[in-house]
Structures are given as C-alpha cells and as structure tokens.
Amino acid sequence: MNDGGKDATTPLCDQLAEQYPEVRAIHHVDNRGYGAALKSGILAARHDFIFFTDSDGQFDLEELEHLIEYAGNYDIVTGYRGKRQDPPHRLINAFGWKMLVRMVLGVKVRDIDCAFKIFQRSVFDRVQIRSVGAMVNTEILAQANAFGMRIHEVRVSHYPRQFGKPSGANLRVILKAFRELLRLYRQLRTVTHEQAGLYRTDRQIHHKVFRHYGVAEEIGAGVGAVSCRFGVEPANDGSSSRGYFAD
C-alpha cells in the first residue's frame, strides 16, 4: 500500500507486483494519511485473515507466525513492542496517549498503535474506518472493544527505524489526533450492534491485479476514487470487472 510516496516506492511496488503474482500494488495519487491507506488495503483484501504492518523495517515479519497461532481463536491479535526502539520523547508521547485512550475510550491494550496486527475478516463487517490519520488503530480497537470482540496481545520485537521519517510527533499530527479522539468518543456513545462495517458500506475490489497508471479518476457523480486509475484483470467469480471502490 503506497500512500502517495514521491520516492522510488511506486516503481518498486509495481515491479514486485509484476514479478510475483500474489503481490498487488495499491497506490494513492497523493498522501491521504495512515488511516486512509489502511482502509484502502483492507478493502482490497480477499482472504479470511488480514494482516498489516509498516514497511520501515522496525518489525520482524517472521514473527507473524506468533500472531497466526492465535488468529483462529480471537477476532484480533495485536502485537505489542517488548522493547520499543524509539527516541525518549516518542516513548513519553506514546505512554501519555495510551493512558488518555484508556481513560476516554476504555481501551486497555498494552500498545494500541503497534503496527503489527492480524484481524479476522469478519471484524470489518461491523467495524468502520473513518479516521484518515494515525487515530485509525484506536478507532478500530475502540469499536472492537465496544462490540465485545476478542482481542489477544502477543509480544513482538521492535528495531530502530532505518527508513523514512516519523510524523507522529508533529504538532499538526498531534492536534489532529486529539480532534479525532473527541470525535470518536462522541461516535462510540451512539454506536449500536447493528452498525454496518467497512465491508457493508464501501465497495470492495474483486480482481487479481492492480496496475498503476498515475491518473486520477472519478466514479459517478462527485465520488472520487480512493486512489488512481487501474488496469484490472477480472476475477473468475462472475463479479463485476469494474475495478474501483468508492470512499
């Protein structure tokens, strides 16, 4: 999932997608935020379990098997960083945010923003994603907690960041997170078990391969594509070959 990267991310992802048939590259034309990127990736998922992680080299993908071990018995299995390899100011910010989320939303996990999680697909029949920024992990787990979903935590390794620049300590990002926290608090007060989740309200993708052409596209009247235009090879399941989903 490439969220509008301006470096070599786009051609590298496309190259991998061409080389390995099981890989699909999804591109946002512009940077739309962590939550928007996660939402696009989840909508494109096709199997019974959905795993996500960051691509900055801070996690060991071989440890995914530790999460898979529990995935069949829990709705969500989330990693928590045993020894977080981040600067002191980020550790302080993370602790303060965790305590605030506990007090405001009642979500009591060790590491709410750990980018190493696996979900049963059915989670998103009920859970929505409205956050476009870093609040998305909190939003997902808060809804899951409200619905009584089973959440299990697994310790994972964490390594110093090798690539990219973190934005979590940016003042604009922090202020946006606080606004989204208040919004989420108000929404959770009215959430019901009849809430339609992401897979019931957003159009999913039913095809094999994405090919990015870097051209913005619109769907219908006033509905923008979540990413850009794609060349699509339809799946052999009788579904529509129209390769878009709406946000």
Side-chain angles (χ1 to χ4, degrees):
M1 182 64 234
N2 171 28
D3 187 28
K6 304 303 182 184
D7 52 15
T9 300
T10 296
L12 285 174
C13 289
D14 287 341
Q15 181 181 349
L16 288 170
E18 291 288 343
Q19 186 175 357
Y20 300 100
E22 65 272 21
V23 173
R24 293 180 295 161
I26 307 172
H27 304 276
H28 286 170
V29 176
D30 300 306
N31 182 279
R32 302 181 64 233
Y34 195 98
L38 191 59
K39 180 176 181 178
S40 294
I42 291 170
L43 281 169
R46 299 171 295 178
H47 300 294
D48 293 335
F49 296 96
I50 301 169
F51 167 76
F52 86 87
T53 191
D54 294 341
S55 58
D56 53 14
Q58 289 194 272
F59 294 98
D60 182 358
L61 287 175
E62 291 188 358
E63 294 185 359
L64 173 57
E65 63 181 280
H66 302 323
L67 275 66
I68 292 175
E69 180 181 349
Y70 298 97
N73 297 319
Y74 294 89
D75 299 293
I76 302 171
V77 183
T78 177
Y80 67 91
R81 290 163 281 196
K83 187 176 182 181
R84 186 167 174 174
Q85 299 294 321
D86 283 322
H89 71 278
R90 287 181 63 83
L91 298 178
I92 294 171
N93 289 347
F95 177 78
W97 180 253
K98 179 177 72 173
M99 299 309 296
L100 181 62
V101 167
R102 285 190 178 191
M103 290 188 293
V104 175
L105 302 179
V107 179
K108 299 178 181 179
V109 299
R110 291 180 178 91
D111 192 355
I112 197 165
D113 288 320
C114 181
F116 207 80
K117 293 181 173 71
I118 190 168
F119 306 88
Q120 291 199 22
R121 183 183 185 87
S122 57
V123 166
F124 296 101
D125 286 331
R126 300 176 69 190
V127 167
Q128 267 291 347
I129 294 180
R130 299 181 179 91
S131 297
V132 296
M135 187 70 181
V136 62
N137 280 287
T138 302
E139 180 182 34
I140 291 172
L141 293 182
Q143 290 176 84
N145 186 60
F147 291 140
M149 293 183 180
R150 298 160 299 167
I151 302 173
H152 185 67
E153 299 177 75
V154 175
R155 180 187 174 109
V156 297
S157 303
H158 193 239
Y159 302 97
R161 191 182 185 109
Q162 301 294 325
F163 309 100
K165 299 170 70 173
S167 60
N170 182 285
L171 180 60
R172 181 178 58 84
V173 174
I174 293 173
L175 292 175
K176 185 176 183 179
F178 275 105
R179 289 196 299 269
E180 291 191 338
L181 178 62
L182 293 175
R183 175 189 58 77
L184 182 57
Y185 172 73
R186 291 193 294 266
Q187 287 179 346
L188 286 176
R189 295 179 66 183
T190 59
V191 72
T192 68
H193 286 271
E194 289 74 36
Q195 172 180 281
L198 190 61
Y199 285 148
R200 297 181 182 179
T201 58
D202 290 74
R203 189 179 305 172
Q204 290 176 245
I205 299 174
H206 301 288
H207 54 79
K208 294 181 179 180
V209 179
F210 299 87
R211 289 197 175 90
H212 173 247
Y213 293 102
V215 180
E217 187 77 7
E218 292 201 341
I219 309 171
V223 181
V226 298
S227 50
C228 50
R229 190 179 63 177
F230 295 100
V232 176
E233 296 180 12
N236 296 320
D237 58 1
S239 59
S240 171
S241 62
R242 189 181 184 189
Y244 300 103
F245 53 95
D247 183 7

